PDB file of all heavy atoms in Angstrom:
ATOM      1  N   VAL A  15       9.071  -4.457  19.429  1.00  0.00           N
ATOM      2  CA  VAL A  15       8.446  -3.932  18.217  1.00  0.00           C
ATOM      3  C   VAL A  15       7.430  -4.938  17.687  1.00  0.00           C
ATOM      4  O   VAL A  15       7.686  -6.146  17.657  1.00  0.00           O
ATOM      5  CB  VAL A  15       9.537  -3.650  17.158  1.00  0.00           C
ATOM      6  CG1 VAL A  15       8.941  -3.310  15.819  1.00  0.00           C
ATOM      7  CG2 VAL A  15      10.457  -2.542  17.630  1.00  0.00           C
ATOM      8  N   GLN A  16       6.282  -4.441  17.251  1.00  0.00           N
ATOM      9  CA  GLN A  16       5.267  -5.290  16.632  1.00  0.00           C
ATOM     10  C   GLN A  16       5.643  -5.536  15.175  1.00  0.00           C
ATOM     11  O   GLN A  16       6.246  -4.678  14.528  1.00  0.00           O
ATOM     12  CB  GLN A  16       3.901  -4.611  16.666  1.00  0.00           C
ATOM     13  CG  GLN A  16       3.340  -4.397  18.038  1.00  0.00           C
ATOM     14  CD  GLN A  16       1.993  -3.691  17.952  1.00  0.00           C
ATOM     15  OE1 GLN A  16       1.714  -2.946  17.033  1.00  0.00           O
ATOM     16  NE2 GLN A  16       1.158  -3.960  18.940  1.00  0.00           N
ATOM     17  N   THR A  17       5.260  -6.700  14.668  1.00  0.00           N
ATOM     18  CA  THR A  17       5.528  -7.031  13.276  1.00  0.00           C
ATOM     19  C   THR A  17       4.280  -7.535  12.591  1.00  0.00           C
ATOM     20  O   THR A  17       3.408  -8.142  13.211  1.00  0.00           O
ATOM     21  CB  THR A  17       6.619  -8.114  13.144  1.00  0.00           C
ATOM     22  OG1 THR A  17       6.282  -9.208  13.990  1.00  0.00           O
ATOM     23  CG2 THR A  17       7.994  -7.584  13.487  1.00  0.00           C
ATOM     24  N   GLU A  18       4.241  -7.259  11.320  1.00  0.00           N
ATOM     25  CA  GLU A  18       3.196  -7.794  10.446  1.00  0.00           C
ATOM     26  C   GLU A  18       3.946  -8.354   9.234  1.00  0.00           C
ATOM     27  O   GLU A  18       4.848  -7.697   8.705  1.00  0.00           O
ATOM     28  CB  GLU A  18       2.273  -6.659  10.035  1.00  0.00           C
ATOM     29  CG  GLU A  18       1.094  -7.058   9.211  1.00  0.00           C
ATOM     30  CD  GLU A  18       0.184  -5.866   8.946  1.00  0.00           C
ATOM     31  OE1 GLU A  18      -0.201  -5.189   9.918  1.00  0.00           O
ATOM     32  OE2 GLU A  18      -0.120  -5.619   7.764  1.00  0.00           O
ATOM     33  N   PHE A  19       3.582  -9.552   8.796  1.00  0.00           N
ATOM     34  CA  PHE A  19       4.278 -10.206   7.694  1.00  0.00           C
ATOM     35  C   PHE A  19       3.362 -10.322   6.487  1.00  0.00           C
ATOM     36  O   PHE A  19       2.168 -10.588   6.625  1.00  0.00           O
ATOM     37  CB  PHE A  19       4.760 -11.594   8.113  1.00  0.00           C
ATOM     38  CG  PHE A  19       5.831 -11.541   9.164  1.00  0.00           C
ATOM     39  CD1 PHE A  19       5.507 -11.444  10.514  1.00  0.00           C
ATOM     40  CD2 PHE A  19       7.167 -11.556   8.806  1.00  0.00           C
ATOM     41  CE1 PHE A  19       6.484 -11.371  11.477  1.00  0.00           C
ATOM     42  CE2 PHE A  19       8.161 -11.487   9.765  1.00  0.00           C
ATOM     43  CZ  PHE A  19       7.820 -11.389  11.110  1.00  0.00           C
ATOM     44  N   PHE A  20       3.963 -10.139   5.318  1.00  0.00           N
ATOM     45  CA  PHE A  20       3.217 -10.261   4.071  1.00  0.00           C
ATOM     46  C   PHE A  20       4.135 -10.882   3.034  1.00  0.00           C
ATOM     47  O   PHE A  20       5.271 -10.425   2.844  1.00  0.00           O
ATOM     48  CB  PHE A  20       2.746  -8.880   3.595  1.00  0.00           C
ATOM     49  CG  PHE A  20       1.947  -8.949   2.322  1.00  0.00           C
ATOM     50  CD1 PHE A  20       0.605  -9.299   2.358  1.00  0.00           C
ATOM     51  CD2 PHE A  20       2.544  -8.703   1.095  1.00  0.00           C
ATOM     52  CE1 PHE A  20      -0.129  -9.396   1.176  1.00  0.00           C
ATOM     53  CE2 PHE A  20       1.822  -8.791  -0.079  1.00  0.00           C
ATOM     54  CZ  PHE A  20       0.478  -9.139  -0.037  1.00  0.00           C
ATOM     55  N   GLN A  21       3.654 -11.919   2.365  1.00  0.00           N
ATOM     56  CA  GLN A  21       4.393 -12.535   1.262  1.00  0.00           C
ATOM     57  C   GLN A  21       3.433 -12.720   0.111  1.00  0.00           C
ATOM     58  O   GLN A  21       2.302 -13.167   0.288  1.00  0.00           O
ATOM     59  CB  GLN A  21       4.979 -13.893   1.686  1.00  0.00           C
ATOM     60  CG  GLN A  21       5.919 -14.530   0.668  1.00  0.00           C
ATOM     61  CD  GLN A  21       5.240 -15.236  -0.507  1.00  0.00           C
ATOM     62  OE1 GLN A  21       4.193 -15.847  -0.364  1.00  0.00           O
ATOM     63  NE2 GLN A  21       5.844 -15.146  -1.670  1.00  0.00           N
ATOM     64  N   SER A  22       3.902 -12.358  -1.076  1.00  0.00           N
ATOM     65  CA  SER A  22       3.086 -12.591  -2.262  1.00  0.00           C
ATOM     66  C   SER A  22       3.977 -12.822  -3.469  1.00  0.00           C
ATOM     67  O   SER A  22       5.071 -12.269  -3.568  1.00  0.00           O
ATOM     68  CB  SER A  22       2.166 -11.393  -2.532  1.00  0.00           C
ATOM     69  OG  SER A  22       1.369 -11.664  -3.681  1.00  0.00           O
ATOM     70  N   ASN A  23       3.440 -13.603  -4.384  1.00  0.00           N
ATOM     71  CA  ASN A  23       4.086 -13.818  -5.672  1.00  0.00           C
ATOM     72  C   ASN A  23       3.565 -12.848  -6.723  1.00  0.00           C
ATOM     73  O   ASN A  23       3.940 -12.948  -7.894  1.00  0.00           O
ATOM     74  CB  ASN A  23       3.854 -15.262  -6.131  1.00  0.00           C
ATOM     75  CG  ASN A  23       4.499 -16.264  -5.190  1.00  0.00           C
ATOM     76  OD1 ASN A  23       5.618 -16.078  -4.744  1.00  0.00           O
ATOM     77  ND2 ASN A  23       3.782 -17.317  -4.870  1.00  0.00           N
ATOM     78  N   HIS A  24       2.716 -11.915  -6.308  1.00  0.00           N
ATOM     79  CA  HIS A  24       2.035 -11.014  -7.237  1.00  0.00           C
ATOM     80  C   HIS A  24       2.413  -9.556  -6.967  1.00  0.00           C
ATOM     81  O   HIS A  24       2.214  -9.052  -5.853  1.00  0.00           O
ATOM     82  CB  HIS A  24       0.523 -11.203  -7.135  1.00  0.00           C
ATOM     83  CG  HIS A  24       0.118 -12.631  -7.333  1.00  0.00           C
ATOM     84  ND1 HIS A  24       0.044 -13.215  -8.578  1.00  0.00           N
ATOM     85  CD2 HIS A  24      -0.184 -13.599  -6.440  1.00  0.00           C
ATOM     86  CE1 HIS A  24      -0.300 -14.468  -8.444  1.00  0.00           C
ATOM     87  NE2 HIS A  24      -0.445 -14.739  -7.157  1.00  0.00           N
ATOM     88  N   GLU A  25       2.904  -8.899  -7.982  1.00  0.00           N
ATOM     89  CA  GLU A  25       3.364  -7.515  -7.849  1.00  0.00           C
ATOM     90  C   GLU A  25       2.278  -6.589  -7.319  1.00  0.00           C
ATOM     91  O   GLU A  25       2.513  -5.789  -6.407  1.00  0.00           O
ATOM     92  CB  GLU A  25       3.865  -7.030  -9.216  1.00  0.00           C
ATOM     93  CG  GLU A  25       4.401  -5.620  -9.215  1.00  0.00           C
ATOM     94  CD  GLU A  25       4.862  -5.205 -10.601  1.00  0.00           C
ATOM     95  OE1 GLU A  25       4.301  -5.705 -11.611  1.00  0.00           O
ATOM     96  OE2 GLU A  25       5.776  -4.374 -10.683  1.00  0.00           O
ATOM     97  N   GLY A  26       1.081  -6.660  -7.873  1.00  0.00           N
ATOM     98  CA  GLY A  26      -0.005  -5.782  -7.443  1.00  0.00           C
ATOM     99  C   GLY A  26      -0.373  -5.978  -5.985  1.00  0.00           C
ATOM    100  O   GLY A  26      -0.709  -5.015  -5.284  1.00  0.00           O
ATOM    101  N   ALA A  27      -0.310  -7.196  -5.506  1.00  0.00           N
ATOM    102  CA  ALA A  27      -0.615  -7.463  -4.097  1.00  0.00           C
ATOM    103  C   ALA A  27       0.425  -6.807  -3.191  1.00  0.00           C
ATOM    104  O   ALA A  27       0.083  -6.289  -2.119  1.00  0.00           O
ATOM    105  CB  ALA A  27      -0.679  -8.969  -3.849  1.00  0.00           C
ATOM    106  N   ILE A  28       1.679  -6.806  -3.634  1.00  0.00           N
ATOM    107  CA  ILE A  28       2.733  -6.140  -2.859  1.00  0.00           C
ATOM    108  C   ILE A  28       2.509  -4.635  -2.858  1.00  0.00           C
ATOM    109  O   ILE A  28       2.624  -3.979  -1.814  1.00  0.00           O
ATOM    110  CB  ILE A  28       4.130  -6.523  -3.402  1.00  0.00           C
ATOM    111  CG1 ILE A  28       4.377  -8.023  -3.173  1.00  0.00           C
ATOM    112  CG2 ILE A  28       5.224  -5.676  -2.748  1.00  0.00           C
ATOM    113  CD1 ILE A  28       5.579  -8.581  -3.894  1.00  0.00           C
ATOM    114  N   VAL A  29       2.156  -4.075  -3.999  1.00  0.00           N
ATOM    115  CA  VAL A  29       1.827  -2.645  -4.074  1.00  0.00           C
ATOM    116  C   VAL A  29       0.666  -2.337  -3.132  1.00  0.00           C
ATOM    117  O   VAL A  29       0.704  -1.355  -2.378  1.00  0.00           O
ATOM    118  CB  VAL A  29       1.516  -2.230  -5.528  1.00  0.00           C
ATOM    119  CG1 VAL A  29       0.920  -0.832  -5.587  1.00  0.00           C
ATOM    120  CG2 VAL A  29       2.767  -2.317  -6.389  1.00  0.00           C
ATOM    121  N   ASP A  30      -0.373  -3.156  -3.154  1.00  0.00           N
ATOM    122  CA  ASP A  30      -1.519  -2.955  -2.256  1.00  0.00           C
ATOM    123  C   ASP A  30      -1.085  -2.979  -0.793  1.00  0.00           C
ATOM    124  O   ASP A  30      -1.533  -2.151   0.009  1.00  0.00           O
ATOM    125  CB  ASP A  30      -2.588  -4.016  -2.487  1.00  0.00           C
ATOM    126  CG  ASP A  30      -3.324  -3.862  -3.808  1.00  0.00           C
ATOM    127  OD1 ASP A  30      -3.260  -2.779  -4.424  1.00  0.00           O
ATOM    128  OD2 ASP A  30      -3.966  -4.851  -4.234  1.00  0.00           O
ATOM    129  N   ALA A  31      -0.234  -3.922  -0.422  1.00  0.00           N
ATOM    130  CA  ALA A  31       0.222  -4.027   0.970  1.00  0.00           C
ATOM    131  C   ALA A  31       0.989  -2.773   1.387  1.00  0.00           C
ATOM    132  O   ALA A  31       0.820  -2.277   2.509  1.00  0.00           O
ATOM    133  CB  ALA A  31       1.085  -5.269   1.155  1.00  0.00           C
ATOM    134  N   ILE A  32       1.814  -2.259   0.494  1.00  0.00           N
ATOM    135  CA  ILE A  32       2.560  -1.026   0.791  1.00  0.00           C
ATOM    136  C   ILE A  32       1.591   0.137   0.965  1.00  0.00           C
ATOM    137  O   ILE A  32       1.691   0.908   1.931  1.00  0.00           O
ATOM    138  CB  ILE A  32       3.593  -0.740  -0.311  1.00  0.00           C
ATOM    139  CG1 ILE A  32       4.692  -1.810  -0.310  1.00  0.00           C
ATOM    140  CG2 ILE A  32       4.189   0.665  -0.143  1.00  0.00           C
ATOM    141  CD1 ILE A  32       5.571  -1.809  -1.547  1.00  0.00           C
ATOM    142  N   GLN A  33       0.649   0.268   0.064  1.00  0.00           N
ATOM    143  CA  GLN A  33      -0.322   1.360   0.159  1.00  0.00           C
ATOM    144  C   GLN A  33      -1.148   1.252   1.441  1.00  0.00           C
ATOM    145  O   GLN A  33      -1.416   2.258   2.104  1.00  0.00           O
ATOM    146  CB  GLN A  33      -1.233   1.380  -1.058  1.00  0.00           C
ATOM    147  CG  GLN A  33      -0.530   1.794  -2.330  1.00  0.00           C
ATOM    148  CD  GLN A  33      -1.433   1.732  -3.548  1.00  0.00           C
ATOM    149  OE1 GLN A  33      -2.599   1.348  -3.475  1.00  0.00           O
ATOM    150  NE2 GLN A  33      -0.883   2.109  -4.689  1.00  0.00           N
ATOM    151  N   GLN A  34      -1.549   0.047   1.813  1.00  0.00           N
ATOM    152  CA  GLN A  34      -2.362  -0.163   3.012  1.00  0.00           C
ATOM    153  C   GLN A  34      -1.568   0.077   4.300  1.00  0.00           C
ATOM    154  O   GLN A  34      -2.153   0.228   5.374  1.00  0.00           O
ATOM    155  CB  GLN A  34      -2.968  -1.561   3.002  1.00  0.00           C
ATOM    156  CG  GLN A  34      -4.013  -1.722   1.910  1.00  0.00           C
ATOM    157  CD  GLN A  34      -4.360  -3.171   1.608  1.00  0.00           C
ATOM    158  OE1 GLN A  34      -3.918  -4.086   2.275  1.00  0.00           O
ATOM    159  NE2 GLN A  34      -5.156  -3.371   0.571  1.00  0.00           N
ATOM    160  N   ALA A  35      -0.245   0.149   4.191  1.00  0.00           N
ATOM    161  CA  ALA A  35       0.599   0.420   5.358  1.00  0.00           C
ATOM    162  C   ALA A  35       0.569   1.891   5.763  1.00  0.00           C
ATOM    163  O   ALA A  35       0.871   2.234   6.908  1.00  0.00           O
ATOM    164  CB  ALA A  35       2.042  -0.002   5.060  1.00  0.00           C
ATOM    165  N   TYR A  36       0.176   2.737   4.840  1.00  0.00           N
ATOM    166  CA  TYR A  36       0.171   4.179   5.101  1.00  0.00           C
ATOM    167  C   TYR A  36      -0.676   4.514   6.337  1.00  0.00           C
ATOM    168  O   TYR A  36      -1.810   4.077   6.459  1.00  0.00           O
ATOM    169  CB  TYR A  36      -0.367   4.938   3.886  1.00  0.00           C
ATOM    170  CG  TYR A  36      -0.354   6.433   4.072  1.00  0.00           C
ATOM    171  CD1 TYR A  36       0.836   7.138   3.987  1.00  0.00           C
ATOM    172  CD2 TYR A  36      -1.519   7.116   4.376  1.00  0.00           C
ATOM    173  CE1 TYR A  36       0.861   8.513   4.182  1.00  0.00           C
ATOM    174  CE2 TYR A  36      -1.500   8.492   4.575  1.00  0.00           C
ATOM    175  CZ  TYR A  36      -0.302   9.182   4.479  1.00  0.00           C
ATOM    176  OH  TYR A  36      -0.286  10.533   4.681  1.00  0.00           O
ATOM    177  N   GLY A  37      -0.063   5.246   7.251  1.00  0.00           N
ATOM    178  CA  GLY A  37      -0.765   5.701   8.436  1.00  0.00           C
ATOM    179  C   GLY A  37      -0.861   4.699   9.573  1.00  0.00           C
ATOM    180  O   GLY A  37      -1.357   5.020  10.646  1.00  0.00           O
ATOM    181  N   ARG A  38      -0.383   3.474   9.358  1.00  0.00           N
ATOM    182  CA  ARG A  38      -0.475   2.476  10.428  1.00  0.00           C
ATOM    183  C   ARG A  38       0.814   1.692  10.656  1.00  0.00           C
ATOM    184  O   ARG A  38       0.943   0.962  11.626  1.00  0.00           O
ATOM    185  CB  ARG A  38      -1.649   1.520  10.189  1.00  0.00           C
ATOM    186  CG  ARG A  38      -1.584   0.736   8.939  1.00  0.00           C
ATOM    187  CD  ARG A  38      -2.792  -0.194   8.747  1.00  0.00           C
ATOM    188  NE  ARG A  38      -2.437  -1.248   7.815  1.00  0.00           N
ATOM    189  CZ  ARG A  38      -1.739  -2.338   8.117  1.00  0.00           C
ATOM    190  NH1 ARG A  38      -1.355  -2.558   9.340  1.00  0.00           N
ATOM    191  NH2 ARG A  38      -1.451  -3.227   7.185  1.00  0.00           N
ATOM    192  N   ILE A  39       1.799   1.852   9.762  1.00  0.00           N
ATOM    193  CA  ILE A  39       3.079   1.145   9.863  1.00  0.00           C
ATOM    194  C   ILE A  39       4.188   2.189   9.960  1.00  0.00           C
ATOM    195  O   ILE A  39       4.170   3.206   9.265  1.00  0.00           O
ATOM    196  CB  ILE A  39       3.301   0.235   8.623  1.00  0.00           C
ATOM    197  CG1 ILE A  39       2.261  -0.886   8.560  1.00  0.00           C
ATOM    198  CG2 ILE A  39       4.722  -0.317   8.578  1.00  0.00           C
ATOM    199  CD1 ILE A  39       2.377  -1.946   9.649  1.00  0.00           C
ATOM    200  N   ASP A  40       5.172   1.921  10.830  1.00  0.00           N
ATOM    201  CA  ASP A  40       6.263   2.875  11.053  1.00  0.00           C
ATOM    202  C   ASP A  40       7.515   2.586  10.242  1.00  0.00           C
ATOM    203  O   ASP A  40       8.360   3.468  10.062  1.00  0.00           O
ATOM    204  CB  ASP A  40       6.620   2.890  12.543  1.00  0.00           C
ATOM    205  CG  ASP A  40       5.416   3.210  13.397  1.00  0.00           C
ATOM    206  OD1 ASP A  40       4.822   4.283  13.204  1.00  0.00           O
ATOM    207  OD2 ASP A  40       5.051   2.361  14.248  1.00  0.00           O
TER     208      ASP A  40
END
């Protein structure tokens, strides 16, 4: 399985990462 890692101390950045996962992350 492929992995992509994301860490942030900022709530909005985490929301952005989740939204950007749409259509490309399983």
Side-chain angles (χ1 to χ4, degrees):
V15 171
Q16 295 179 332
T17 51
E18 184 176 308
F19 293 85
F20 181 81
Q21 188 281 324
S22 181
N23 296 317
H24 306 282
E25 181 181 30
I28 294 169
V29 169
D30 289 343
I32 293 166
Q33 291 177 358
Q34 292 164 6
Y36 182 76
R38 61 181 201 80
I39 295 292
D40 304 302

